[in-house]
Amino acid sequence: MVTLKDIAAEAGVSVMTVSRVVNGQFSKVSESNIKKIQSIIEKRGYVPSLSARSLSSHASRIIAVILQGDASAMEYPYNAVLVGQICYMIQDNNYSPMLYYANDYKDITRRLRSWYVEGAVFLGMFDSNLRQIQADNQIPLVFIDSYSSVRQITNVGIDDYKGGELAARYLIEKGHHRVAFVGGYSQVSGVVRQRLNGFRHALEQEGFPLTEECILSDVPEAEVLKKLCHGSEPVTAFFAPADVNALQLIGQLDGLGLRVPEDCSVIGFDDLFFAQYTSPSLTTIRQDIHRKAQIAVDLLFRHIGDPGAPAENITLDVQLVERSSVCDLHEKR
Amino acid sequence: MVTLKDIAAEAGVSVMTVSRVVNGQFSKVSESNIKKIQSIIEKRGYVPSLSARSLSSHASRIIAVILQGDASAMEYPYNAVLVGQICYMIQDNNYSPMLYYANDYKDITRRLRSWYVEGAVFLGMFDSNLRQIQADNQIPLVFIDSYSSVRQITNVGIDDYKGGELAARYLIEKGHHRVAFVGGYSQVSGVVRQRLNGFRHALEQEGFPLTEECILSDVPEAEVLKKLCHGSEPVTAFFAPADVNALQLIGQLDGLGLRVPEDCSVIGFDDLFFAQYTSPSLTTIRQDIHRKAQIAVDLLFRHIGDPGAPAENITLDVQLVERSSVCDLHEKR
DNA sequence: GGCGATATCTTTCAGGGTTACCATTTGATT
DNA sequence: AATCAAATGGTAACCCTGAAAGATATCGCC
């Protein structure tokens, strides 16, 4: 293992001079030494020890990416794309991303402190103890998709409420008056709640309020679905607050002999890559995941560069993508 | 920031004693001191500095997970699931996963060395300079899906060749005599090549050799597809070496007015979660990604625990999952 | 009961590779 | 000769661990 000292010895200068060259403080070292040292570094294959560096400077160039839940969180393509994008951009900024799964915020705090982690991005539902996380870790934090009343939190999210409204209005426009809401991707997070609220609110406004029995949990029983779709006043359309749910729902409806969109319609949320390939292709509310990641990372680095920067709460827009999983009841008649 | 020293001072013992307690070497510390120290640690919220620890011990408890390609690699669900699972299990072993994207193996070497990374998992097509990577980094490495002639490499893969054979035999069994191979998920990696080889070989054996024009690149032109399916001897089935390809292919065929499976059949590979939800649901070659991840991580930790452990090359089995994207030509007639 | 021997704790010392801070040298400019 | 800037060096952290020596308690034995 080659160290600064070795390089210094070989170059006949002090460690300090080598350190300056390694760290690009060229203005403080003579031209000739820079060249000599660089060539020795190259020749010997010297790589700075980041452990030593971070011990000494209290800056590790590590960013933690923290995912709520367990391994299955990455099976959800939305998270995968987001994490992938975020980690890539972290690396692009010459930092190293550490990927953590967490449920317990104490554990997070431990991990963030133990390396001198310089910043963290949180994905998922840390709504409740978010303030605590912030307080316990005196480093820049960026949350994604968090709903919290706490001020002074930097968060990047989308207009989930509007997404719900869009879905409701679209379904009504297509003549669906009795509709249902199916599930959240794991628990009822703030995100799902907002989508539901927007959905519910728009329905009310349009005069078709959502009844309680039309709000279904993640994986509704076949029985329940059947009853809803076959009653005297059958549900003709479903809003799933995630494409993955929509997909599963379509599968289930299929199993009950209900064709989508002929027999009942489904609208999703996210517009994940597979949405255009499913059959029927999914009508869904689109959000720009890449942009979300980009903004989150940009904000994080801004805060790392300038710890005094004010917290920001960014809300990105969503839009409806019309495909073929919703039928027009007007045409049908 | 609380340090060992602070704890030691408060407890009235030396740093070393505290260090022992922190590191669980309880047999060397008196009962009373253990309790006292632990309570002080708890009270003060002491968290060991991993930078210092790794500097001192040359062991960072970091595992690098290295993904070939760029951010888009994580959009591919196969990679996402694998990475998710691997990182989770790394964390489970009380190590920290660092996620890197890489194309250039020199960059990897740099990064692995700069932290005292204790091991690495490589996903993707590092077939060519794999030996170099191994030589440059004197730490345990586990490759996933690598095909390399180099011995002494620990690799976990699946029987891609057999997968190709299974696909071929199944299509022939269903009466498809003129078939095509469509694409690899990005470049022609060893994995895709093996799948093709197995496919080709089985076809030959059965007396229906694969002609060159029936091996199509990733995203075949609409023109090309059209010609293949409408010629005098039309292609009736496609083998896509990845479900994602299969999905795209189905979309394209759809655009050309060719229904799957009525007009032509498609068989995929991987059995990703969406395969059962697409329409038609995908007949595909299944591999167990979770198991792959599990084995890779287990092997890695075995090698970290015992650096002398011999390299292993594990090949997992695959099987065909019959769904509805392949039609039976016998029935049709 | 006092001796050394053994076992059980505990401390001291010496790094590990880097950076921050301050001090020094050098050579050129007035 | 005095001044100054540029280039370089020395030293003390940073926090932890490993090895080995030091201190204390435990025990059998003459």
Side-chain angles (χ1 to χ4, degrees), chain A residues 4 19 23 46 48-49 52-53 56:
Chain A
L4 264 196
S19 171
N23 293 294
Y46 164 76
S49 157
R53 179 178 288 177
S56 181

mmCIF file of all heavy atoms in Angstrom, chain A residues 4 19 23 46 48-49 52-53 56, chain C residues 15-23:
data_model
loop_
_atom_site.group_PDB
_atom_site.id
_atom_site.type_symbol
_atom_site.label_atom_id
_atom_site.label_comp_id
_atom_site.label_asym_id
_atom_site.label_seq_id
_atom_site.Cartn_x
_atom_site.Cartn_y
_atom_site.Cartn_z
ATOM 1 N N LEU A 4 1.152 8.648 1.081
ATOM 2 C CA LEU A 4 1.677 9.978 0.793
ATOM 3 C C LEU A 4 3.157 10.042 1.120
ATOM 4 O O LEU A 4 3.949 10.614 0.380
ATOM 5 C CB LEU A 4 0.968 11.015 1.668
ATOM 6 C CG LEU A 4 -0.229 11.800 1.140
ATOM 7 C CD1 LEU A 4 -0.472 12.996 2.026
ATOM 8 C CD2 LEU A 4 0.035 12.249 -0.282
ATOM 9 N N SER A 19 0.548 16.216 -0.714
ATOM 10 C CA SER A 19 -0.866 16.381 -0.398
ATOM 11 C C SER A 19 -1.488 17.499 -1.234
ATOM 12 O O SER A 19 -2.582 17.360 -1.765
ATOM 13 C CB SER A 19 -1.039 16.687 1.093
ATOM 14 O OG SER A 19 -2.368 17.048 1.374
ATOM 15 N N ASN A 23 -4.475 17.114 -3.900
ATOM 16 C CA ASN A 23 -5.735 17.824 -3.732
ATOM 17 C C ASN A 23 -5.918 19.002 -4.678
ATOM 18 O O ASN A 23 -6.809 19.822 -4.498
ATOM 19 C CB ASN A 23 -5.878 18.283 -2.289
ATOM 20 C CG ASN A 23 -6.030 17.101 -1.364
ATOM 21 O OD1 ASN A 23 -7.022 16.390 -1.422
ATOM 22 N ND2 ASN A 23 -5.023 16.870 -0.542
ATOM 23 N N TYR A 46 -0.411 5.271 -6.621
ATOM 24 C CA TYR A 46 -0.897 5.756 -5.328
ATOM 25 C C TYR A 46 -2.378 6.120 -5.388
ATOM 26 O O TYR A 46 -2.841 6.761 -6.313
ATOM 27 C CB TYR A 46 -0.094 6.985 -4.895
ATOM 28 C CG TYR A 46 -0.754 7.756 -3.789
ATOM 29 C CD1 TYR A 46 -0.725 7.291 -2.486
ATOM 30 C CD2 TYR A 46 -1.423 8.945 -4.065
ATOM 31 C CE1 TYR A 46 -1.355 7.994 -1.475
ATOM 32 C CE2 TYR A 46 -2.047 9.658 -3.054
ATOM 33 C CZ TYR A 46 -2.009 9.174 -1.765
ATOM 34 O OH TYR A 46 -2.633 9.874 -0.763
ATOM 35 N N PRO A 48 -5.245 7.787 -2.720
ATOM 36 C CA PRO A 48 -5.398 8.361 -1.375
ATOM 37 C C PRO A 48 -6.310 7.491 -0.510
ATOM 38 O O PRO A 48 -7.263 6.903 -1.008
ATOM 39 C CB PRO A 48 -6.062 9.707 -1.623
ATOM 40 C CG PRO A 48 -6.070 9.940 -3.083
ATOM 41 C CD PRO A 48 -5.756 8.667 -3.771
ATOM 42 N N SER A 49 -6.015 7.419 0.734
ATOM 43 C CA SER A 49 -6.876 6.674 1.650
ATOM 44 C C SER A 49 -8.029 7.562 2.092
ATOM 45 O O SER A 49 -7.831 8.549 2.789
ATOM 46 C CB SER A 49 -6.071 6.243 2.868
ATOM 47 O OG SER A 49 -6.945 6.009 3.938
ATOM 48 N N ALA A 52 -8.495 7.769 5.916
ATOM 49 C CA ALA A 52 -7.620 8.746 6.558
ATOM 50 C C ALA A 52 -8.099 10.156 6.253
ATOM 51 O O ALA A 52 -8.161 11.014 7.128
ATOM 52 C CB ALA A 52 -6.192 8.561 6.077
ATOM 53 N N ARG A 53 -8.448 10.363 5.011
ATOM 54 C CA ARG A 53 -8.880 11.694 4.623
ATOM 55 C C ARG A 53 -10.112 12.116 5.402
ATOM 56 O O ARG A 53 -10.205 13.232 5.898
ATOM 57 C CB ARG A 53 -9.165 11.715 3.125
ATOM 58 C CG ARG A 53 -9.632 13.050 2.635
ATOM 59 C CD ARG A 53 -9.843 13.028 1.150
ATOM 60 N NE ARG A 53 -8.574 12.989 0.419
ATOM 61 C CZ ARG A 53 -8.502 12.904 -0.902
ATOM 62 N NH1 ARG A 53 -9.599 12.805 -1.620
ATOM 63 N NH2 ARG A 53 -7.328 12.889 -1.503
ATOM 64 N N SER A 56 -9.457 12.844 8.978
ATOM 65 C CA SER A 56 -8.753 14.103 9.167
ATOM 66 C C SER A 56 -9.613 15.320 8.847
ATOM 67 O O SER A 56 -9.554 16.331 9.525
ATOM 68 C CB SER A 56 -7.520 14.091 8.277
ATOM 69 O OG SER A 56 -6.799 15.255 8.425
ATOM 70 P P DG C 15 5.896 3.158 15.638
ATOM 71 O OP1 DG C 15 5.655 2.199 14.516
ATOM 72 O OP2 DG C 15 7.244 3.600 15.943
ATOM 73 O "O5'" DG C 15 4.995 4.476 15.508
ATOM 74 C "C5'" DG C 15 4.238 4.762 14.321
ATOM 75 C "C4'" DG C 15 3.308 3.615 13.994
ATOM 76 O "O4'" DG C 15 2.350 3.472 15.093
ATOM 77 C "C3'" DG C 15 2.512 3.875 12.730
ATOM 78 O "O3'" DG C 15 2.484 2.703 11.943
ATOM 79 C "C2'" DG C 15 1.118 4.245 13.205
ATOM 80 C "C1'" DG C 15 1.028 3.650 14.602
ATOM 81 N N9 DG C 15 0.337 4.582 15.488
ATOM 82 C C8 DG C 15 0.879 5.667 16.154
ATOM 83 N N7 DG C 15 0.008 6.307 16.881
ATOM 84 C C5 DG C 15 -1.175 5.610 16.679
ATOM 85 C C6 DG C 15 -2.478 5.844 17.206
ATOM 86 O O6 DG C 15 -2.844 6.740 17.965
ATOM 87 N N1 DG C 15 -3.405 4.901 16.743
ATOM 88 C C2 DG C 15 -3.098 3.861 15.897
ATOM 89 N N2 DG C 15 -4.109 3.058 15.562
ATOM 90 N N3 DG C 15 -1.900 3.625 15.398
ATOM 91 C C4 DG C 15 -0.998 4.540 15.836
ATOM 92 P P DG C 16 2.571 2.750 10.417
ATOM 93 O OP1 DG C 16 3.058 1.455 9.902
ATOM 94 O OP2 DG C 16 3.264 4.005 10.071
ATOM 95 O "O5'" DG C 16 1.062 2.952 10.006
ATOM 96 C "C5'" DG C 16 0.141 1.869 9.948
ATOM 97 C "C4'" DG C 16 -1.208 2.432 9.620
ATOM 98 O "O4'" DG C 16 -1.773 2.995 10.826
ATOM 99 C "C3'" DG C 16 -1.129 3.611 8.633
ATOM 100 O "O3'" DG C 16 -1.411 3.131 7.321
ATOM 101 C "C2'" DG C 16 -2.215 4.567 9.087
ATOM 102 C "C1'" DG C 16 -2.603 4.089 10.485
ATOM 103 N N9 DG C 16 -2.424 5.113 11.503
ATOM 104 C C8 DG C 16 -1.291 5.837 11.783
ATOM 105 N N7 DG C 16 -1.447 6.692 12.749
ATOM 106 C C5 DG C 16 -2.771 6.528 13.127
ATOM 107 C C6 DG C 16 -3.523 7.196 14.131
ATOM 108 O O6 DG C 16 -3.155 8.085 14.898
ATOM 109 N N1 DG C 16 -4.830 6.728 14.179
ATOM 110 C C2 DG C 16 -5.354 5.744 13.381
ATOM 111 N N2 DG C 16 -6.627 5.410 13.583
ATOM 112 N N3 DG C 16 -4.663 5.107 12.443
ATOM 113 C C4 DG C 16 -3.383 5.557 12.376
ATOM 114 P P DG C 17 -0.516 3.725 6.138
ATOM 115 O OP1 DG C 17 -0.664 2.793 5.014
ATOM 116 O OP2 DG C 17 0.805 4.127 6.634
ATOM 117 O "O5'" DG C 17 -1.324 5.044 5.778
ATOM 118 C "C5'" DG C 17 -2.593 4.889 5.170
ATOM 119 C "C4'" DG C 17 -3.196 6.245 4.946
ATOM 120 O "O4'" DG C 17 -3.356 6.885 6.223
ATOM 121 C "C3'" DG C 17 -2.339 7.178 4.092
ATOM 122 O "O3'" DG C 17 -3.200 7.757 3.133
ATOM 123 C "C2'" DG C 17 -1.792 8.189 5.085
ATOM 124 C "C1'" DG C 17 -2.848 8.200 6.170
ATOM 125 N N9 DG C 17 -2.366 8.479 7.516
ATOM 126 C C8 DG C 17 -1.192 8.076 8.094
ATOM 127 N N7 DG C 17 -1.047 8.480 9.331
ATOM 128 C C5 DG C 17 -2.209 9.206 9.589
ATOM 129 C C6 DG C 17 -2.626 9.886 10.760
ATOM 130 O O6 DG C 17 -2.029 9.987 11.840
ATOM 131 N N1 DG C 17 -3.865 10.470 10.594
ATOM 132 C C2 DG C 17 -4.615 10.413 9.439
ATOM 133 N N2 DG C 17 -5.781 11.036 9.468
ATOM 134 N N3 DG C 17 -4.241 9.788 8.336
ATOM 135 C C4 DG C 17 -3.029 9.209 8.482
ATOM 136 P P DT C 18 -2.711 8.850 2.151
ATOM 137 O OP1 DT C 18 -3.439 8.693 0.880
ATOM 138 O OP2 DT C 18 -1.243 8.918 2.144
ATOM 139 O "O5'" DT C 18 -3.268 10.142 2.876
ATOM 140 C "C5'" DT C 18 -4.679 10.334 2.915
ATOM 141 C "C4'" DT C 18 -5.049 11.415 3.886
ATOM 142 O "O4'" DT C 18 -4.382 11.208 5.138
ATOM 143 C "C3'" DT C 18 -4.644 12.822 3.474
ATOM 144 O "O3'" DT C 18 -5.755 13.401 2.778
ATOM 145 C "C2'" DT C 18 -4.430 13.546 4.814
ATOM 146 C "C1'" DT C 18 -4.427 12.425 5.860
ATOM 147 N N1 DT C 18 -3.279 12.432 6.795
ATOM 148 C C2 DT C 18 -3.407 13.073 8.005
ATOM 149 O O2 DT C 18 -4.409 13.664 8.346
ATOM 150 N N3 DT C 18 -2.299 12.999 8.808
ATOM 151 C C4 DT C 18 -1.108 12.368 8.525
ATOM 152 O O4 DT C 18 -0.186 12.364 9.324
ATOM 153 C C5 DT C 18 -1.034 11.720 7.241
ATOM 154 C C7 DT C 18 0.212 11.006 6.842
ATOM 155 C C6 DT C 18 -2.116 11.788 6.437
ATOM 156 P P DT C 19 -5.539 14.842 2.133
ATOM 157 O OP1 DT C 19 -6.631 15.005 1.181
ATOM 158 O OP2 DT C 19 -4.134 15.011 1.725
ATOM 159 O "O5'" DT C 19 -5.783 15.806 3.383
ATOM 160 C "C5'" DT C 19 -7.060 15.828 3.999
ATOM 161 C "C4'" DT C 19 -7.026 16.760 5.198
ATOM 162 O "O4'" DT C 19 -5.980 16.348 6.104
ATOM 163 C "C3'" DT C 19 -6.748 18.221 4.861
ATOM 164 O "O3'" DT C 19 -7.733 18.998 5.518
ATOM 165 C "C2'" DT C 19 -5.357 18.481 5.417
ATOM 166 C "C1'" DT C 19 -5.262 17.477 6.546
ATOM 167 N N1 DT C 19 -3.903 16.992 6.894
ATOM 168 C C2 DT C 19 -3.464 17.110 8.205
ATOM 169 O O2 DT C 19 -4.131 17.623 9.083
ATOM 170 N N3 DT C 19 -2.208 16.607 8.443
ATOM 171 C C4 DT C 19 -1.367 16.002 7.522
ATOM 172 O O4 DT C 19 -0.268 15.584 7.861
ATOM 173 C C5 DT C 19 -1.882 15.911 6.183
ATOM 174 C C7 DT C 19 -1.053 15.286 5.123
ATOM 175 C C6 DT C 19 -3.111 16.411 5.930
ATOM 176 P P DA C 20 -7.868 20.530 5.166
ATOM 177 O OP1 DA C 20 -9.309 20.772 5.025
ATOM 178 O OP2 DA C 20 -6.936 20.915 4.082
ATOM 179 O "O5'" DA C 20 -7.353 21.219 6.511
ATOM 180 C "C5'" DA C 20 -7.835 20.747 7.765
ATOM 181 C "C4'" DA C 20 -7.297 21.626 8.885
ATOM 182 O "O4'" DA C 20 -5.987 21.148 9.272
ATOM 183 C "C3'" DA C 20 -7.116 23.089 8.514
ATOM 184 O "O3'" DA C 20 -7.453 23.878 9.647
ATOM 185 C "C2'" DA C 20 -5.629 23.203 8.164
ATOM 186 C "C1'" DA C 20 -4.999 22.133 9.049
ATOM 187 N N9 DA C 20 -3.859 21.446 8.433
ATOM 188 C C8 DA C 20 -3.736 21.056 7.138
ATOM 189 N N7 DA C 20 -2.613 20.425 6.864
ATOM 190 C C5 DA C 20 -1.955 20.397 8.082
ATOM 191 C C6 DA C 20 -0.718 19.861 8.475
ATOM 192 N N6 DA C 20 0.125 19.237 7.650
ATOM 193 N N1 DA C 20 -0.361 20.007 9.778
ATOM 194 C C2 DA C 20 -1.202 20.629 10.604
ATOM 195 N N3 DA C 20 -2.389 21.164 10.356
ATOM 196 C C4 DA C 20 -2.710 21.016 9.062
ATOM 197 P P DC C 21 -7.434 25.454 9.518
ATOM 198 O OP1 DC C 21 -8.593 25.895 10.309
ATOM 199 O OP2 DC C 21 -7.260 25.897 8.112
ATOM 200 O "O5'" DC C 21 -6.101 25.815 10.313
ATOM 201 C "C5'" DC C 21 -5.804 25.124 11.524
ATOM 202 C "C4'" DC C 21 -4.395 25.470 11.952
ATOM 203 O "O4'" DC C 21 -3.459 24.623 11.247
ATOM 204 C "C3'" DC C 21 -3.992 26.911 11.638
ATOM 205 O "O3'" DC C 21 -3.482 27.503 12.817
ATOM 206 C "C2'" DC C 21 -2.936 26.784 10.547
ATOM 207 C "C1'" DC C 21 -2.358 25.411 10.837
ATOM 208 N N1 DC C 21 -1.745 24.714 9.668
ATOM 209 C C2 DC C 21 -0.572 23.973 9.868
ATOM 210 O O2 DC C 21 -0.079 23.920 11.000
ATOM 211 N N3 DC C 21 -0.014 23.336 8.808
ATOM 212 C C4 DC C 21 -0.576 23.415 7.608
ATOM 213 N N4 DC C 21 0.015 22.765 6.603
ATOM 214 C C5 DC C 21 -1.768 24.157 7.378
ATOM 215 C C6 DC C 21 -2.320 24.786 8.432
ATOM 216 P P DC C 22 -3.177 29.068 12.819
ATOM 217 O OP1 DC C 22 -3.750 29.573 14.081
ATOM 218 O OP2 DC C 22 -3.528 29.676 11.524
ATOM 219 O "O5'" DC C 22 -1.598 29.050 12.960
ATOM 220 C "C5'" DC C 22 -0.991 28.110 13.852
ATOM 221 C "C4'" DC C 22 0.472 27.994 13.507
ATOM 222 O "O4'" DC C 22 0.631 27.226 12.294
ATOM 223 C "C3'" DC C 22 1.173 29.339 13.268
ATOM 224 O "O3'" DC C 22 2.340 29.359 14.067
ATOM 225 C "C2'" DC C 22 1.438 29.340 11.770
ATOM 226 C "C1'" DC C 22 1.611 27.848 11.496
ATOM 227 N N1 DC C 22 1.395 27.421 10.081
ATOM 228 C C2 DC C 22 2.278 26.489 9.526
ATOM 229 O O2 DC C 22 3.208 26.061 10.211
ATOM 230 N N3 DC C 22 2.077 26.090 8.249
ATOM 231 C C4 DC C 22 1.063 26.579 7.543
ATOM 232 N N4 DC C 22 0.916 26.141 6.290
ATOM 233 C C5 DC C 22 0.151 27.521 8.089
ATOM 234 C C6 DC C 22 0.352 27.910 9.354
ATOM 235 P P DA C 23 3.359 30.549 13.968
ATOM 236 O OP1 DA C 23 3.777 30.825 15.362
ATOM 237 O OP2 DA C 23 2.846 31.617 13.092
ATOM 238 O "O5'" DA C 23 4.576 29.822 13.239
ATOM 239 C "C5'" DA C 23 4.999 28.555 13.738
ATOM 240 C "C4'" DA C 23 6.205 28.100 12.940
ATOM 241 O "O4'" DA C 23 5.771 27.685 11.628
ATOM 242 C "C3'" DA C 23 7.247 29.202 12.727
ATOM 243 O "O3'" DA C 23 8.528 28.616 12.872
ATOM 244 C "C2'" DA C 23 6.988 29.680 11.309
ATOM 245 C "C1'" DA C 23 6.500 28.397 10.630
ATOM 246 N N9 DA C 23 5.580 28.595 9.511
ATOM 247 C C8 DA C 23 4.483 29.399 9.469
ATOM 248 N N7 DA C 23 3.840 29.368 8.322
ATOM 249 C C5 DA C 23 4.576 28.474 7.561
ATOM 250 C C6 DA C 23 4.429 28.001 6.252
ATOM 251 N N6 DA C 23 3.435 28.380 5.447
ATOM 252 N N1 DA C 23 5.338 27.114 5.792
ATOM 253 C C2 DA C 23 6.329 26.732 6.608
ATOM 254 N N3 DA C 23 6.572 27.103 7.864
ATOM 255 C C4 DA C 23 5.654 27.987 8.278
#
